[in-house]
Amino acid sequence: MPSQPSRRRVILDTDLSMGAVGSEIDDGFALALALATPELDVELVTTVNGNTDVESAGLLTLALLERLGRTDVPVVGGAAAPLARPGDVRRAPQALRDEHGHRALSPGYAAAEMARVVTASPGEVTVVAIGPLTNVALAAVLDPAFAGAVAEVVVMGGSFLRHTNELAMPGEFNVWVDPEAADAVLRSGARLRFVGLDVTTQVRLTSADAARLEASGRPFASFAGRCTAAWIEHRAATGSSGAEDGACAMHDPLAVAVVARPELVTWAPARVEVVTGPSVARGVCVADLLRGAERPEPNCEVAVAVDAPAFTEHFLGAVEAL
Ligand code: BDR
Ligand code: CA
């Protein structure tokens, strides 16, 4: 019998909020896409404070895995606040606890579990980080072998070719929430690929896509279609930037997609540094794309272009069947 090509072992680190009405949906789609991609083997999900508090992220992840028929995937809770702001802890709303509180996470802490799984199999496990980088930074600090052992860390985060043009949030959200963690990860020596806002804002789900998913009659797709419509409505009602076209970006699913399909994106080696500490530019990434006369040592690759139609076909093809 021909041997099966080996699948990429993946840890997904997420601040998932799909399922809470009017909340960001892309982490939920990213989890679904990872589970639906035959080349990927999701063996652990870890949660982090970000889009939502870490308690809600854990409960909503467990609920989504149940919906996807994958309660076998362990979910371990992680950082409740950014590295430099340990007091900034939010709790899950009571209504969410009432609905989902009967579910239980697996024991342990995300960073420790991430470090344990990665270092047990050097070169085999990819971490896909789709929330603030707090857990990944802690894993690198906890175990000095982590950075050398991880196959790569694929991050949805940063903006490398342009600014957000918003003083209130000058950097991309995931890096802006915990710039000290992003800085630690960039200095860790791990192999890093960043999929930033420059490309993720080009891959979009429209209201028509949402309606199509909802009408599919498939258990995940119809639920996700409803969540998408609610998220698009919420963004329009709150005047969010980028909501003008009645669509929303699939930031995190693109980071998952490139693990199995790196050709969806054009990559450039870069030296990326993050503005930390008190500054008007806190959380901003400065990327040197090694094109000048003086070329610093690269510390990652960044996505500089995306084949949006090819991504959408890959993405919708996978999630519509769920
Ligand atoms: C990132 O921030 C979150 O809102 C999304 O889930 C994504 O991970 C985009 O800036
Ligand atoms: Ca996210």
Side-chain angles (χ1 to χ4, degrees):
M1 233 173 44
S3 65
Q4 289 285 323
S6 64
R7 300 197 296 158
R8 295 277 292 266
R9 295 172 59 191
V10 165
I11 298 174
L12 187 73
D13 188 55
T14 176
D15 54 346
L16 187 145
S17 57
M18 181 185 262
V21 177
S23 296
E24 174 65 276
I25 51 172
D26 65 336
D27 291 77
F29 273 119
L31 174 59
L33 179 62
L35 295 172
T37 304
E39 295 88 348
L40 305 183
D41 180 8
V42 181
E43 59 181 59
L44 172 66
V45 177
T46 51
T47 58
V48 66
N49 162 69
N51 278 320
T52 186
D53 63 275
V54 72
E55 190 185 354
S56 297
L59 295 176
L60 290 168
T61 300
L62 290 168
L64 197 59
L65 284 169
E66 201 172 303
R67 193 178 283 281
L68 288 160
R70 291 299 307 272
T71 50
D72 57 305
V73 179
V75 181
V76 176
L83 287 184
R85 302 191 174 180
D88 284 3
V89 176
R90 296 171 293 162
R91 304 299 309 272
Q94 191 56 49
L96 193 132
R97 281 199 193 146
D98 291 345
E99 189 179 351
H100 298 292
H102 58 284
R103 299 187 169 89
L105 297 174
S106 297
Y109 293 105
E113 198 53 14
M114 196 183 275
R116 188 189 67 74
V117 172
V118 164
T119 56
S121 307
E124 281 186 22
V125 181
T126 296
V127 173
V128 185
I130 57 175
L133 285 161
T134 324
N135 289 336
V136 185
L138 288 169
V141 173
L142 266 182
D143 191 336
F146 173 81
V150 70
E152 63 174 337
V153 183
V154 179
V155 178
M156 189 287 126
S159 184
F160 306 104
L161 309 177
R162 63 186 170 88
H163 291 293
T164 60
N165 299 119
E166 280 181 41
L167 265 177
M169 190 172 71
E172 177 281 329
F173 180 82
N174 289 338
V175 172
W176 175 79
V177 167
D178 196 344
E180 283 73 18
D183 181 49
V185 170
L186 279 159
R187 291 171 192 272
S188 69
R191 182 173 177 221
L192 304 172
R193 283 195 288 162
F194 279 81
V195 178
L197 279 187
D198 315 292
V199 291
T200 63
T201 44
Q202 295 177 47
V203 295
R204 305 183 76 70
L205 214 53
T206 63
S207 303
D209 294 327
R212 194 169 108 191
L213 286 172
E214 194 172 348
S216 70
R218 307 287 308 167
F220 170 78
S222 43
F223 163 77
R226 286 196 299 282
C227 293
T228 305
W231 177 233
I232 291 175
E233 254 170 55
H234 171 83
R235 282 173 53 75
T238 52
S240 307
S241 75
E244 304 78 15
D245 61 353
C248 60
M250 288 292 98
H251 309 285
D252 295 337
L254 185 59
V256 167
V258 299
V259 179
R261 304 274 306 274
E263 74 283 359
L264 289 172
V265 151
T266 307
W267 301 96
R271 170 94 202 167
V272 172
E273 301 202 359
V274 186
V275 180
T276 55
S279 161
V280 71
R282 181 171 168 79
V284 167
C285 288
V286 178
D288 189 315
L289 295 176
L290 315 183
R291 293 169 184 162
E294 282 184 31
R295 299 187 178 182
E297 199 53 35
N299 57 0
C300 63
E301 287 182 282
V302 300
V304 292
V306 60
D307 183 344
F311 164 80
T312 303
E313 195 185 319
H314 170 69
F315 171 73
L316 284 178
V319 299
E320 265 174 356
L322 292 170

